Structure formats: structure tokens, C-alpha cells
């Protein structure tokens, strides 16, 4: 009987120790995840964004080895592209393990929206831009958050009033358009010759375009080096 009572007591003690270790491990996980999210929120606050976050629930059946070292935590995906990022929690101790913990993160900040309907190909000016506060990471396409990255671009598709500007809606304008008068530069080392020409197609900086030399009527292909400027090798 004494042996049975002793065995039962040892089992209960072992179970209590395991439960205590599991509880401590869960506390470690929660602490590491919370520290990561708070550091992220503080860093974004310095840039003018407001970050709210909430940890997901740990599985009560979780049974991981106690970690002698400090746990590491990182985002397993980009929190700027989803409000439901997953956190990777890792133990690098003698009995290493890793687990994923869900979280809810909202990043609120300034976004730019169309102040009126915008037609495809229309140049984006300050008058076409309104400023609003919005949850930036609520869509997979992150909005444009710097005005200098928006002004001067062209609408790559039509937009309704209130549409949030994202890189999918704008593109670099053509530096040269068909029919434009351009300066043609023929270059060889430090020696160069300039003449006037006419663009026979549209193109952006860095692209090849066919131009007509207005002096000789000769057609040549050159590289667009800037608005209204085309360079050809000699």
C-alpha cells in the first residue's frame, strides 16, 4: 500500500512539475511575442504611424520543452501587407524548438486618395490628391505613403474618387512621346554632337526609341536619357 501511495504521489508531483514548466514556457512565449510587437509599434510611432496589436490564443495543449535561453521572436511575413501576421517563436537551447503564433496588427497612418475621378494616363498633380487616415495594412497592396513618390506619375488605370493610391495605380510617365521634338546627342567618349529630332514613338527613360533627324531626315534608334533627350552612339 505504501508503495502504491508513494508511486501515486510521485506521478502527481511529476504532473504538477510538467504543468508548471508548460505554464512557464507559455509565459516565455507570450513575453517574447509581446516584446516584438511593442518594439514594432514603437518604431512605427517614430515614423508617425499608430500600431495596435493583440496576440492570438496559445493552444492549451501546448507541450514544449522549457527553454534555458531567451526566446527569439520575429514576423514570419510582412506585417505591412496583412492585419493577421504570424509570429515565429524559437528556442535555441539544448532542446531547440519553434512554433508559430497568430496575431492581429493594424497600422494606421496617412494615405493619399484620389480627390476626384482620375482618367487613365492623367498626370498626378497635387490637386488630384487628398490626405486621409486609414489602416494601411488592410490590403495586400501597400498604399503610397510619400507624396514625392506620387506626384508627377501617370495613372495606369482609371480611378474613382476616394481610391487609395498604390503602386498598381500609377506609373512613370513617358519621357518622350510620339511627335515630340527632342535633342539627339551623338556621343563618342568626351566628344558629342547635338541636333534636333522628332520622336516616332513613346518611351520612358532608359528605353530605346526611334527618332527622325530633322536636318537629314534620317531615322535612327537611340536611348532615352531624360525628358526630350535621346542619345545615340557614334
Amino acid at each position: 500500500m505504501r508503495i502504491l501511495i508513494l508511486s501515486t504521489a510521485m506521478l502527481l508531483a511529476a504532473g504538477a512539475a510538467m504543468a508548471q514548466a508548460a505554464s512557464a514556457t507559455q509565459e516565455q512565449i507570450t513575453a517574447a511575442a509581446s516584446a516584438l510587437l511593442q518594439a514594432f509599434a514603437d518604431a512605427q510611432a517614430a515614423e508617425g504611424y499608430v500600431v495596435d496589436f493583440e496576440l492570438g490564443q496559445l493552444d492549451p495543449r501546448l507541450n514544449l520543452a522549457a527553454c534555458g535561453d531567451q526566446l527569439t521572436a520575429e514576423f514570419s511575413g510582412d506585417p505591412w501587407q496583412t492585419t493577421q501576421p504570424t509570429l515565429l517563436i524559437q528556442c535555441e537551447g539544448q532542446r531547440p524548438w519553434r512554433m508559430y503564433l497568430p496575431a492581429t496588427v493594424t497600422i494606421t497612418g496617412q494615405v493619399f486618395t484620389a480627390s476626384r475621378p482620375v482618367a487613365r494616363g492623367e498626370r498626378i498633380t497635387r490637386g488630384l490628391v487628398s490626405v486621409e487616415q486609414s489602416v494601411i495594412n488592410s490590403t495586400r497592396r501597400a498604399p503610397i505613403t510619400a507624396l514625392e513618390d506620387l506626384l508627377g506619375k501617370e495613372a495606369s488605370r482609371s480611378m474613382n474618387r476616394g481610391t487609395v493610391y498604390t503602386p498598381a495605380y500609377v506609373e512613370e510617365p513617358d519621357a518622350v512621346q510620339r511627335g515630340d521634338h527632342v535633342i539627339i546627342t551623338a556621343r563618342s567618349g568626351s566628344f558629342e554632337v547635338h541636333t534636333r529630332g522628332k520622336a516616332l514613338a513613346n518611351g520612358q527613360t532608359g528605353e530605346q526609341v526611334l527618332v527622325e533627324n530633322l536636318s537629314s531626315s534620317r531615322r535612327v534608334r537611340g536611348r532615352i536619357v531624360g525628358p526630350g533627350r535621346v542619345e545615340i552612339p557614334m
Side-chain angles (χ1 to χ4, degrees), residues 48-229:
Y49 302 103
V50 176
V51 176
D52 294 307
F53 61 84
E54 182 178 348
L55 284 176
Q57 293 294 321
L58 282 168
D59 189 337
R61 298 167 298 177
L62 187 67
N63 185 20
L64 297 171
C67 188
D69 298 334
Q70 186 174 1
L71 297 182
T72 62
E74 61 185 48
F75 289 104
S76 65
D78 187 353
W80 286 88
Q81 294 187 1
T82 177
T83 58
Q84 303 291 326
T86 302
L87 311 183
L88 172 60
I89 315 296
Q90 296 186 88
C91 171
E92 304 292 347
Q94 293 183 343
R95 299 174 63 186
W97 50 259
R98 61 169 52 189
M99 65 157 294
Y100 293 92
L101 179 65
T104 299
V105 178
T106 58
I107 306 172
T108 304
Q110 177 179 279
V111 298
F112 301 111
T113 62
S115 59
R116 62 162 175 79
V118 180
R120 179 180 179 182
E122 191 168 357
R123 188 69 61 92
I124 307 301
T125 63
R126 188 64 184 85
L128 290 178
V129 180
S130 294
V131 181
E132 298 181 11
Q133 293 291 314
S134 178
V135 177
I136 294 175
N137 61 333
S138 60
T139 64
R140 293 189 64 84
R141 295 185 181 276
I144 295 172
T145 56
L147 192 58
E148 59 269 23
D149 294 335
L150 180 60
L151 297 182
K153 300 289 198 303
E154 285 186 355
S156 58
R157 62 186 74 180
S158 61
M159 288 175 280
N160 296 322
R161 181 179 181 277
T163 299
V164 176
Y165 285 106
T166 72
Y169 281 104
V170 296
E171 61 187 3
E172 289 290 343
D174 289 332
V176 169
Q177 294 188 336
R178 180 183 177 89
D180 283 353
H181 281 202
V182 298
I183 299 298
I184 302 173
T185 300
R187 188 187 304 276
S188 177
S190 60
F191 178 75
E192 58 184 47
V193 177
H194 304 280
T195 187
R196 297 187 62 184
K198 183 173 70 173
L200 302 179
N202 297 353
Q204 296 183 358
T205 300
E207 294 181 340
Q208 297 284 325
V209 67
L210 191 65
V211 295
E212 180 181 346
N213 187 318
L214 295 180
S215 298
S216 65
S217 297
R218 179 187 173 194
R219 296 186 174 188
V220 294
R221 185 170 295 277
R223 183 173 62 88
I224 301 172
V225 294
R229 295 186 294 118

Side-chain angles (χ1 to χ4, degrees), residues 4-73:
L4 178 60
I5 293 174
L6 180 60
S7 298
T8 302
M10 292 177 63
L11 288 172
L12 290 174
M18 291 177 60
Q20 186 176 8
S23 176
T25 301
Q26 292 187 11
E27 290 178 3
Q28 280 184 297
I29 293 170
T30 299
S34 297
L36 168 68
L37 292 174
Q38 188 60 59
F40 178 74
D42 293 342
Q44 304 319 311
E47 301 296 327
Y49 302 103
V50 176
V51 176
D52 294 307
F53 61 84
E54 182 178 348
L55 284 176
Q57 293 294 321
L58 282 168
D59 189 337
R61 298 167 298 177
L62 187 67
N63 185 20
L64 297 171
C67 188
D69 298 334
Q70 186 174 1
L71 297 182
T72 62

